Amino acid sequence: MFLVPIKAELEAWLLADGLALSQVLSRPAHPVRISNTANVESQTNPKKRLESLFQQHGKPYVPATHASQIVASLRPNFGVLGKVPSFRQFGAALTTPC
């Protein structure tokens, strides 16, 4: 087991990819389009932002459920999230041999 620090809150990373958020928030009768969030690492309260987005679209944000749904909706190469510096550093920390 290795400790790997995460500089940004997980929710900040979840805000990065608007397409993944749109897929989770959309319903067949109510498609949703969310834009990518620029500078996700500078979000002061990303969890509150996610809660607000979900509330705007008629759903309460449930981290245990929705975080995994957003991650599952990411493109195979992580899409926009793969360009976030703190996420790239996290990936490097996980894959760099000790």
Side-chain angles (χ1 to χ4, degrees), residues 11-54:
E11 286 85 359
W13 291 344
L14 298 178
L15 285 169
D17 196 320
L19 180 61
L21 281 167
S22 298
Q23 289 176 348
V24 172
L25 288 168
S26 291
R27 294 176 295 223
H30 181 68
V32 173
R33 182 177 164 96
I34 305 290
S35 298
N36 294 338
T37 301
N39 302 318
V40 293
E41 297 166 316
S42 64
Q43 293 285 312
T44 56
N45 193 338
K47 186 172 185 176
K48 184 167 256 170
R49 174 77 178 122
L50 273 175
E51 289 170 346
S52 174
L53 278 171
F54 274 74

Side-chain angles (χ1 to χ4, degrees), residues 38-96:
N39 302 318
V40 293
E41 297 166 316
S42 64
Q43 293 285 312
T44 56
N45 193 338
K47 186 172 185 176
K48 184 167 256 170
R49 174 77 178 122
L50 273 175
E51 289 170 346
S52 174
L53 278 171
F54 274 74
Q55 187 176 30
Q56 287 173 14
H57 297 286
K59 293 183 179 183
Y61 175 64
V62 180
T65 302
H66 294 119
S68 62
Q69 289 176 346
I70 296 167
V71 170
S73 296
L74 292 171
R75 285 164 266 176
N77 66 350
F78 297 109
V80 175
L81 181 57
K83 296 177 179 141
V84 175
S86 63
F87 185 77
R88 288 199 331 254
Q89 290 170 349
F90 175 69
L94 290 176
T95 58
T96 302

